[in-house]
Amino acid sequence: MIRKVLALFVGAALLAGCSEPSSAPLGEPEPGTLRILAGSELADMQPVLDEAARATGVQVKFTFTGTLEGAEALANGSVDGKYDAVWFSSNRYLAGIPDAAKRLGNQVKIMSSPVVLGLATSVVQRLGWAGKPVSWGEIAAQAGKKAFSYGMTDPSASNSGFSALVGVASALAGAGNAIDAQQIASVTPQLTQFFSAQALSAGSSGWLSDAYTRRATGPNRVDGLINYESVLLSANASGKLPEPLTLVYPSDGVVTADYPLSVLASAGDDARSAHQRLSDYLRTPDVQKRIMETTQRRPVVPGVALGPQFTARDLVELPFPATQQAVDALLQAYFDKIRRPSRTLYVLDTSGSMKGDRIDSLRTALVGLTGADNSLTGRFRRFRSREEVTMLPFNTVPARATTFTVPEQDPAAELARIKAFAEGLTANGGTAIYDSLSEAYRVLEPLQARDPDRFTSIVLMTDGENANGSSLADFQASFGSVPAAVKQVPVFTVLFGEGSSDELTQVATLTGGKVFDARKVQLSDVFQEIRGYQ
């Protein structure tokens, strides 16, 4: 699945053939092996691929990445010689990038899944939508009235979020053709109305589904999700939801992922043969049924009947933007004008162990977010218009927090201030992780009280063990008394250097956050990845 300008953003984990995830390099081409650069959601295909290996002799080695990263790798040629194929949710965005499109060879659609709205059944009944056709315009109108709330993935990080953005924009434009850059301004007010009800953001469909499960009840309840039909059906089947989701298929159309398994033009004859054998096998009727049962995705082979879980049979397909310029304009409008602004508090280890390359890496990562990174990913992962950014460095004790707010107009001066702050970071002293994390919540409380309508998160980056002040146990014991307004704020922890994986995992789990590993990749790449969750 090559997610449009988007994709499920989940780092560079590897699945080696039928084995467990590995961080080993893919190595040289091997007969009967396909080295595939893929979106992370393809991990759920592993049982089917295990069976395929036995039936066809073709082993699959996955490297998971996000689509922005995948698109960039194709465009700059870094896939050449390293991979034999790519497999993302769609190749439609890549088709608009000549340097990426020319590297794609034979493309075979394997399965499909539309992006739709799933709402708690009681909410659908309250809105009067049960069993009735509902348009994107009606959904946007009710969202603007805050009649319901929902979670959606970041459209620069995940195809499901991007497909939702394209779908609602195209439907609201009502032109019948692919939306272009000029039409985006005309639908911005309605899009702003629609996205005002978004209460959760995430960089991947899987994390979003887990976050929704935690927020489906209680005072900060979220009413539903915009996601792949397959993810919503799987959530219902899991038995973990307090009430099932009713899937709402907008009557004016959806954007559907069609998962083309695409051999690269640079692949050798053996890889091309393996790609053909695997594709042929995956498209046999029995295997299509197996894929449907395993992943809740729809078959693409004519004559394979849909299962009873697919209540909507024939769907209207909305047109995808025809140019990269239209896609970029839509994303730019989303981040800088349409969606609710974000608030991020960075808790940054500047202890003595960070001296040298490590503090340089931290400075580079933060400076990159001010706009210094002009790559495809960097353009959409920078600090955004209207965003509130707080820096809280720490060593033996937490330093004084400094807050910046990026203005909607002429942001250059404030971004320059953030850049200067990052470049001025120095390393010295001890490591007070949990005193600093507790301070972060204290700093957030008045900011949240003054402006609660923001996506808020904490990023905790450390390269070592806690050596000063309160312990993890102290933090866990005091977490129950964190004010309700900020207790729901997730902490995204970053493993770096000798940081404790166990402790940072416990912090992320306690706060509803996620762990990111920067021990074997660039810290800049990890900071950009986290941006998909903010």
Side-chain angles (χ1 to χ4, degrees):
M1 36 185 246
I2 255 200
R3 333 167 182 226
K4 309 171 194 231
V5 166
L6 316 327
L8 256 138
F9 200 119
V10 177
L14 292 170
L15 278 174
C18 305
S19 65
E20 293 300 311
S22 164
S23 59
L26 288 176
E28 297 299 316
E30 300 175 35
T33 297
L34 276 180
R35 303 166 300 168
I36 301 179
L37 184 65
S40 62
E41 66 209 64
L42 268 298
D44 68 5
M45 282 288 290
Q46 197 62 46
V48 179
L49 295 174
D50 290 346
E51 295 165 4
R54 292 189 288 271
T56 67
V58 178
Q59 300 280 335
V60 167
K61 288 186 177 181
F62 272 141
T63 297
F64 293 141
T65 189
T67 295
L68 278 179
E69 291 74 14
E72 202 149 45
L74 278 164
N76 65 26
S78 61
V79 298
D80 296 344
K82 296 180 181 178
Y83 301 100
D84 307 303
V86 294
W87 197 0
F88 293 92
S89 62
S90 172
N91 286 351
R92 283 173 289 191
Y93 176 66
L94 292 173
I97 306 175
D99 286 342
K102 72 182 183 183
R103 288 187 165 85
L104 296 177
N106 188 30
Q107 304 168 41
V108 183
K109 296 177 181 178
I110 302 300
M111 53 202 169
S112 71
S113 193
V115 173
V116 298
L117 171 64
L119 286 176
T121 298
S122 61
V123 176
V124 171
Q125 292 170 343
R126 170 169 55 80
L127 292 168
W129 291 351
K132 296 181 179 179
V134 181
S135 70
W136 280 115
E138 292 173 275
I139 294 170
Q142 292 299 321
K145 296 175 183 177
K146 301 296 178 69
F148 67 91
S149 60
Y150 64 88
M152 189 187 90
T153 55
D154 183 312
S156 76
S158 168
N159 179 68
S160 62
F162 185 65
S163 295
L165 177 59
V166 167
V168 68
S170 298
L172 292 175
N177 299 315
I179 192 169
D180 59 32
Q182 287 69 40
Q183 291 171 314
I184 291 168
S186 68
V187 297
T188 292
Q190 285 175 285
L191 288 173
T192 302
Q193 189 180 47
F194 176 76
F195 286 107
S196 69
Q198 185 182 353
L200 278 177
S201 182
S204 73
S205 293
W207 189 87
L208 180 69
S209 184
D210 291 342
Y212 169 73
T213 301
R214 292 191 298 269
R215 294 275 299 275
T217 57
N220 298 306
R221 166 178 169 147
V222 178
D223 296 316
L225 292 173
I226 295 178
N227 216 318
Y228 294 112
E229 175 188 58
S230 59
V231 171
L232 302 177
L233 291 174
S234 296
N236 278 345
S238 72
K240 297 178 181 179
L241 302 180
E243 65 173 307
L245 295 167
T246 293
L247 274 59
V248 178
Y249 297 84
S251 57
D252 38 3
V254 296
V255 174
T256 300
D258 55 14
Y259 299 94
L261 176 54
S262 307
V263 71
L264 293 175
S266 59
D269 290 342
D270 185 81
R272 292 172 185 272
S273 174
H275 171 266
Q276 189 66 57
R277 297 200 307 275
L278 179 60
S279 300
D280 289 346
Y281 173 83
L282 294 176
R283 286 175 58 88
T284 58
D286 286 346
V287 178
Q288 287 279 289
K289 292 177 184 176
R290 173 82 165 110
I291 290 172
M292 182 167 54
E293 294 165 356
T294 303
T295 71
Q296 304 291 331
R297 298 188 185 100
R298 297 179 178 225
V300 294
V301 174
V304 179
L306 284 175
Q309 67 270 42
F310 300 100
T311 56
R313 302 287 161 149
D314 298 319
L315 303 175
V316 176
E317 188 68 19
L318 289 165
F320 188 78
T323 65
Q324 185 183 355
Q325 289 74 22
V327 169
D328 290 351
L330 186 57
L331 284 172
Q332 203 72 53
Y334 173 81
F335 287 120
D336 288 344
K337 298 180 182 298
I338 293 169
R339 76 162 227 163
R340 292 166 51 200
S342 59
R343 168 186 293 119
T344 310
L345 194 155
Y346 289 86
V347 184
L348 304 170
D349 188 343
T350 57
S351 61
S353 60
M354 286 286 292
K355 285 183 178 178
D357 291 343
R358 293 181 180 180
I359 196 70
D360 288 341
S361 294
L362 177 57
R363 294 187 194 111
T364 299
L366 292 172
V367 168
L369 297 181
T370 66
D373 185 345
N374 291 315
S375 66
L376 179 61
T377 51
R379 293 208 319 269
F380 296 110
R381 303 277 168 78
R382 61 172 174 75
F383 292 127
R384 297 155 183 156
S385 170
R386 306 167 296 148
E387 182 171 0
E388 187 179 275
V389 179
T390 298
M391 300 292 185
L392 178 59
F394 72 90
N395 45 46
T396 308
V397 296
R400 182 177 180 179
T402 303
T403 298
F404 309 86
T405 302
V406 182
E408 185 169 352
Q409 304 295 329
D410 300 321
E414 192 71 349
L415 291 172
R417 288 185 61 222
I418 299 175
K419 180 175 181 287
F421 183 94
E423 290 174 337
L425 292 173
T426 57
N428 195 31
T431 311
I433 296 173
Y434 300 107
D435 280 355
S436 303
L437 186 55
S438 296
E439 177 65 13
Y441 280 103
R442 285 190 288 271
V443 169
L444 274 183
E445 187 178 6
L447 297 175
Q448 186 80 351
R450 185 175 69 241
D451 185 3
D453 195 32
R454 288 179 177 270
F455 292 111
T456 302
S457 61
I458 295 171
V459 177
L460 169 62
M461 192 285 305
T462 181
D463 78 329
E465 303 277 351
N466 187 62
N468 303 95
S470 57
S471 65
L472 172 62
D474 296 329
F475 175 77
Q476 291 169 323
S478 65
F479 188 72
S481 61
V482 170
V486 293
K487 192 172 184 179
Q488 67 181 11
V489 174
V491 178
F492 299 118
T493 58
V494 180
L495 290 171
F496 193 58
E498 296 76 43
S500 171
S501 173
D502 178 64
E503 290 198 1
L504 292 184
T505 298
Q506 290 186 59
V507 170
T509 301
L510 176 66
T511 63
K514 178 178 169 63
V515 181
F516 295 83
D517 195 339
R519 292 174 296 186
K520 295 182 180 180
V521 297
Q522 294 293 322
L523 186 60
S524 296
D525 294 339
V526 172
F527 271 33
Q528 285 193 356
E529 184 178 354
I530 293 172
R531 299 290 294 162
Y533 292 77
Q534 298 173 334

